[in-house]
Amino acid sequence: MGTLIVVLILAAIVAAIIRSIVKAHKRGEHPGCGGDCGSCGHCSHSV
Amino acid sequence: MGIRIALAGNPNCGKTTLFNALTGSNQFVGNWPGVTVEYKEGKFKGDKEVTIVDLPGIYSLSPYTLEEVVSRNYLIDEKPEAIINVIDGTNLERNLYLTTQIVELGIPVVIAINMMDVVEKNGDKINTKKLSEEIGVPAIEISALKNRGLKDIVEAAVKAAKEAKPQSPKHRFEGSVEHALAHIEELCLHSIDDENVQRWYSIKLFERDEKIQEKLGLSEDVISHIEKDIVSCEKELDDDSESIITGERYNYIGTIINGCVKKASRGMTTSDKIDQVVTNRFLALPIFAVVMFLVYFVSVTTVGTWATDWANDGVFGDGWHLFAIGSSQYNDAAEEFTANQLIVDGYDLYVEENGSEPTGDFEYPVEDEETAAVEYETATLVDYEAAAAYVEANEEPDPADYGIWIPGVPVFVEAGLDAINCNDVVKGLILDGIVAGVGAVLGFVPQMLVLFIFLAFLEACGYMARVAFIMDRIFRKFGLSGKSFIPMLIGTGCGVPGIMASRTIENDRDRKMTIMTTTFIPCGAKLPFIAMVAGAIFGGAAWVAPTAYFLGIFSIIVSGIMLKKTKLFAGDPAPFVMELPAYHWPTASNVLRSMWERGWSFIKKAGTIILLSTIIVWFATFFGFVDGAFTMLEEDQIDHSILAGLGKCLAWIFLPLGFGDWEATVASITGLVAKENIVGTLAIIYGASGDVYETMRAAFTDASGMAFLAFNLLCAPCFAAMGAIKREMNNTKWFWTAIGYQCGFAWVIGLIIYQVGRVFTGEGFGIGTIFGIAAICCLVYGIIRKDKYNK
């Protein structure tokens, strides 16, 4: 039971990460950056 | 109905400081559509109906840079209700050039004379009332940094917006110019209602502004008619139209300055005195070298190492004492216990190996924690008896007995997983994969924060601007320009904005060359890797981190010299004009904010892309084929893993560089996703067989370790940076040329370092050393050969 809970939590975390990367990619961002325009100044984000 | 107020002004005039002060946290930051220029909008704190738009810093409304085009398109097309023109009170002459253009737009303008605190400190005087009369718009003194005059400026702007009566500009050009402008207005602009806008367009058409010609949809006939008027005026005034307009504006500004500004007589400013030393022809470079050495020395070796040791050994290790209370006593007790235990173990080992007890002195092995080297020490029988008595009487010291002991994350997580009877495979994934991998990367956060503080300080105080100026003098001797160095300075934080900053380089060849070489400078992501190599292979030596930085600069200069002599990149260096801002002591909040923003970006990356990578690396490390069956592997079986199989296919490439094993190969490959991954991957792979640093020390020699470091610093950057290269090159062939050049150059440098370095580190002269020397000769030839394309 404990293993199942841990696996489910892990799966949820991984799914959330993949989702955020895909959403960022669709916005024109790159997964390597934190998406923080203020600290970057030059990037390919578009409004 | 809301009011939109645009903030317009030169770069470094304090616009953003004013914007932040007026809007607080009620900001939205993004990009102007379709371009990579930052867009900022916020609600005024005192009145949510008022929206402030922070336009990019510009020197004029010409069509030459992206920032200028974005700003003027916004002002003409969106027509905000008012403009606050922020000008630097300490540099009115340059700032008023933009003002003379903004007041012609037909939008109500209010001038904010910023930095009045500095003006007063300098003893200068500005007759604001007269300035306002001369230009024809209200002018208000403010100090955005000291929160002075902010309410007044917004009130004035809101009042101007509500009155909706833009002032007519007072400035008039020379007679023949006015005549030409009138003709142009009559010819093609009479349909525009606003007379002020008519005039602005006519001036732009007089300057032959192609973007305005396109915007107005002028026919060829009209354009050629206008051209006649322009040519006639140019003949009369013996100058080109743009220069005529520029000259007249500056004449007008000159009369304003003479009438309104009184400068206190003073000698050299503090900035000038500092620059006499810092940009001195002979001292500039050594000073720069010392500064960067100190930055990396303190970040990686002293303060950074202390903090990272705590993070790696404490937070992501066994644990640590709160506030270090009891740490010293525990360490002493543990050392004493270990020393006695080693003698007892050594005695037992002797008995096991020889089948009998020693009759006199005996030797026992002691392993060095830093270098993993095994040395032998001698103990007497008396020493053994004392040690045996000690070990029997005392248990191994428990750190919790000496102070408040906080277990490290792995201990805590393992205890939790054991408590819920978690399966071993899942436990292995979490502990040996995620915690080991991500923990290894996060362990370097303290060093990164220290580095970011230094870089933020150097940027904010104004020194980094001088570095570009210093490098220009050197670069120019080799046909390069200091303009190419600015992206590299930006690249010390992250390679992506560094690559994108190459857009400021107008010369296409120089721009491509800059894109190709920018990532040679170690970015923030490479710092954990540099620190790991320095700590694991070189025992924490202070010279490793600065050497990595200067290797990057050396690579940029050498690449630039060699590439400039090829047909693809030949050409004169671009002219380089830049503003050196006055030195000033940065505010702690600005420096800390910059440090935190970059650090938080790094931590978020660790929690996303690196976490995913560690899961994949762990799976590929601990699963493989043994005797034909796919199974989970024991620690001594990871040579049969999926990752080992992949690595072995490519490891031969790195044999000449001294690290032709699968572990180093796969670490380099995972570094393409994110450079921090090299640390995470090595932590998982080497951690499987014991202590990471010890295993790494045993896997590399000094020469091969340096070659491994150099190769990964110089080869193709991470996917994010590669994506930026692809976009900026806008050409698949050039993209692969850039990546190919970076990997090839990195390989050659790695070859030289290993094959020649091994001679000096005692590994001996090999056949590869001949190739290493040949590579040096080729590089030297590439540098000194005659340049047949530049005369």
Side-chain angles (χ1 to χ4, degrees), chain B residues 625-644:
Chain B
F625 290 89
V626 176
D627 298 328
F630 184 74
T631 180
M632 186 169 177
L633 305 171
E634 297 296 321
E635 280 150 10
D636 56 354
Q637 290 177 314
I638 61 171
D639 251 18
H640 299 281
S641 63
I642 300 167
L643 206 62

Side-chain angles (χ1 to χ4, degrees), chain B residues 22-340:
Chain B
L22 293 178
T23 59
S25 59
N26 304 322
Q27 295 179 14
F28 167 75
V29 178
N31 269 64
W32 292 89
V35 296
T36 64
V37 179
E38 196 177 77
Y39 171 92
K40 269 185 178 170
E41 180 187 286
K43 296 284 183 199
F44 176 47
K45 280 192 289 198
D47 183 350
K48 294 286 188 289
E49 293 299 312
V50 176
T51 302
I52 315 268
V53 177
D54 186 13
L55 297 179
I58 50 175
Y59 291 105
S60 76
L61 294 178
S62 70
Y64 300 125
T65 71
L66 209 49
E67 284 83 359
E68 287 165 340
V69 170
V70 158
S71 291
R72 75 179 198 176
N73 282 350
Y74 176 79
L75 294 172
I76 298 168
D77 297 332
E78 300 297 323
K79 279 190 103 50
E81 280 71 38
I83 300 172
I84 295 178
N85 174 212
V86 184
I87 63 177
D88 176 1
T90 65
N91 200 336
L92 280 182
E93 189 171 358
R94 193 198 64 217
N95 281 255
L96 285 176
Y97 184 77
L98 177 64
T99 307
T100 60
Q101 297 176 61
I102 286 179
V103 297
E104 291 165 352
L105 285 172
I107 300 170
V109 176
V110 176
I111 293 174
I113 308 174
N114 196 16
M115 301 189 190
M116 284 307 298
D117 54 314
V118 182
V119 170
E120 284 155 15
K121 191 175 162 201
N122 290 345
D124 300 335
K125 287 190 176 17
I126 301 175
N127 188 334
T128 310
K129 191 165 171 239
K130 194 154 183 232
L131 179 74
S132 173
E133 283 166 6
E134 290 285 338
I135 299 180
V137 300
I140 291 169
E141 295 176 0
I142 71 166
S143 169
L145 199 65
K146 307 284 181 194
N147 265 317
R148 216 173 90 190
L150 305 193
K151 198 160 159 273
D152 296 336
I153 192 68
V154 176
E155 275 176 8
V158 169
K159 184 175 172 226
K162 283 180 176 166
E163 284 172 2
K165 268 192 309 191
Q167 304 85 344
S168 288
K170 291 218 167 160
H171 175 233
R172 285 289 174 265
F173 295 100
E174 226 270 353
S176 48
V177 176
E178 287 293 338
H179 187 71
L181 294 180
H183 264 209
I184 294 170
E185 283 179 34
E186 200 184 303
L187 184 62
C188 57
L189 300 171
H190 52 265
S191 60
I192 298 173
D193 291 331
D194 192 328
E195 280 179 8
N196 287 325
V197 175
Q198 273 192 30
R199 181 175 173 77
W200 190 80
Y201 277 130
S202 67
I203 296 170
K204 287 294 137 196
L205 291 173
F206 183 79
E207 290 176 318
R208 295 190 179 94
D209 190 321
E210 285 176 4
K211 288 197 163 50
I212 296 297
Q213 287 171 355
E214 208 180 291
K215 189 184 173 78
L216 294 173
L218 301 181
S219 65
E220 287 300 321
D221 279 344
V222 170
I223 293 174
S224 91
H225 203 121
I226 293 173
E227 184 63 21
K228 286 194 185 114
D229 286 324
I230 299 171
V231 167
S232 163
C233 191
E234 284 175 336
K235 260 193 191 148
E236 193 180 326
L237 298 175
D238 192 25
D239 209 345
D240 68 275
S241 62
E242 244 187 297
S243 301
I244 292 169
I245 297 292
T246 306
E248 294 237 359
R249 289 196 196 279
Y250 273 112
N251 287 343
Y252 169 55
I253 291 168
T255 55
I256 295 175
I257 300 288
N258 285 340
C260 304
V261 179
K262 220 171 165 179
K263 290 249 180 205
S265 62
R266 54 178 173 263
M268 285 172 62
T269 62
T270 308
S271 287
D272 293 334
K273 287 176 190 163
I274 297 173
D275 277 335
Q276 280 218 304
V277 177
V278 161
T279 61
N280 176 275
R281 177 181 293 272
F282 303 107
L283 293 177
L285 263 189
I287 290 174
F288 173 59
V290 167
V291 167
M292 294 317 295
F293 177 86
L294 283 174
V295 165
Y296 278 87
F297 175 73
V298 175
S299 306
V300 179
T301 309
T302 55
V303 174
T305 294
W306 175 82
T308 289
D309 280 350
W310 166 76
N312 279 335
D313 299 336
V315 178
F316 293 104
D318 296 327
W320 79 100
H321 284 106
L322 190 63
F323 304 124
I325 296 170
S327 218
S328 172
Q329 295 90 317
Y330 165 72
N331 287 337
D332 290 341
E335 259 179 48
E336 190 180 357
F337 184 88
T338 304
N340 284 294

